[in-house]
């Protein structure tokens, strides 16, 4: 008979300390360390198609507006100072950076994934939605990094995704890789349309490059801070969360279809949005409950599951490594 050795709970990883989820001081550290140095999704080019159209993006108490310049370029201007911010475009999305220096070219790394063979030049924005979650952004990001909670909380999602999808092959190695700067991840769900009961939501499939083989399921690419773009054979979806306060997070969702798909003929907006929006509304309730629980003074974090919460541990490992680079003083008493 083999005797299973259990690790003492006090030696297991529990994520970042409770106090890092509260207060304006920590929010400002997060903004300076995680969000300002990186490209943030501001909108989609189709939202700026009409003359005079603009999109806005806020980061802490800083707000900028993005519009098209006279030559068609994207111009991002901070509303208070009038300062011009960095902009870029990738697969139809407009990105803004609040940093003084232009961030590293994230999009080269994303393009190297191959995007599963989809022709991203032939996508159009079909729908957009933004909602607020009354929880710290790290709670929202943690929720997005695992499916340990899915079986009991996401009846729609589990029709398509095995909740064990985030099972970690090597918990410690994954944490080390993330701490060493790994910020881009991909996943593939063979045979899944990422829709309720695997039913197509658009009769027009997304266009693929001529050399690409037919799509066999859903393919997703994630990158920090917290964004993810998921392709199904007939539609694509992007989510982009961003802190709006110490205890509030804005989550933007974008649904894309083939550029020649026709609303009311090939797809209906409600059908297109249902699967992911239902899932994120369920996550909203979960995250807000977690935030309320963490607010109780006697709250103590428990160890993360080494088999099914490796994604959470990897996120916090990456986050803490970034925080250590920028604010080593907060680790001096650790």
């Amino acid at each position: 008979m083999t005797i299973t050795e259990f690790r003492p709970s006090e030696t297991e990883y529990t994520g970042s300390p409770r106090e890092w989820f509260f207060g304006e001081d920590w929010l400002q550290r997060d903004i300076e360390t995680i969000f300002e140095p990186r490209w943030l999704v501001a909108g989609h080019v189709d939202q700026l198609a009409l003359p005079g159209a603009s999109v806005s993006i806020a980061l802490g108490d800083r707000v900028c507006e993005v519009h098209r310049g006279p030559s068609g370029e994207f111009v991002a201007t901070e509303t208070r100072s009038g300062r011009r911010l960095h902009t870029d475009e990738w697969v139809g999305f407009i990105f803004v950076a609040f940093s003084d220096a232009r961030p590293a070219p994230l999009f080269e790394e994303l393009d190297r994934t191959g995007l599963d063979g989809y022709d991203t030049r032939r996508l159009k924005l079909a729908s957009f939605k933004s909602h607020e979650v009354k929880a710290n952004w790290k709670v929202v990001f943690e929720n997005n990094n695992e499916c340990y909670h899915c079986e009991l909380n996401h009846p729609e999602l589990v029709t398509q995704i095995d909740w064990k999808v985030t099972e970690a092959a090597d918990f410690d190695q994954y944490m080390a890789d993330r701490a060493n700067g790994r910020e881009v991840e991909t996943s593939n769900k063979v045979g899944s349309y990422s829709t309720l009961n695997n039913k197509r939501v658009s009769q027009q499939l997304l266009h693929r490059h001529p050399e690409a083989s037919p799509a066999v399921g859903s393919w997703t690419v994630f990158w920090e801070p917290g964004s993810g773009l998921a392709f199904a054979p007939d539609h694509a979806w992007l989510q982009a969360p961003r802190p709006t306060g110490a205890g509030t997070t804005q989550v933007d969702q974008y649904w894309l279809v083939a550029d020649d798909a026709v609303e009311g003929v090939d797809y209906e907006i409600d059908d297109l949005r249902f699967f992911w929006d239902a899932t994120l509304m369920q996550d909203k309730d979960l995250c807000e409950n977690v935030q309320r629980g963490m607010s109780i003074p006697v709250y103590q974090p428990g160890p993360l599951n080494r088999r099914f919460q490796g994604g959470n541990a990897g996120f916090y490992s990456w986050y803490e490594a970034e925080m250590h680079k920028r604010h080593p003083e907060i680790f001096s008493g650790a």
Side-chain angles (χ1 to χ4, degrees), residues 84-138:
R84 185 75 64 87
L85 302 182
H86 304 288
T87 61
D88 211 333
E89 179 190 345
W90 180 71
V91 300
F93 289 96
I94 306 160
F95 290 76
V96 167
F98 285 80
S99 55
D100 292 332
R102 188 175 181 85
L106 164 70
F107 313 111
E108 291 181 9
E109 187 174 358
L110 291 173
D111 284 337
R112 279 196 290 270
T113 66
L115 298 175
D116 201 41
Y118 286 101
D119 186 350
T120 57
R121 299 166 301 177
R122 299 200 59 186
L123 294 171
K124 70 176 181 181
L125 180 66
S127 187
F128 167 77
K129 178 183 177 180
S130 182
H131 67 272
E132 183 183 77
V133 182
K134 294 179 180 177
N136 182 268
W137 69 272
K138 291 186 287 296

Side-chain angles (χ1 to χ4, degrees), residues 306-325:
R306 295 178 67 89
R307 185 176 178 185
F308 298 118
Q309 291 182 305
N312 309 52
F315 161 66
Y316 285 122
S317 182
W318 168 80
Y319 166 76
E320 289 170 9
E322 293 300 306
M323 193 62 69
H324 195 279
K325 295 175 190 175

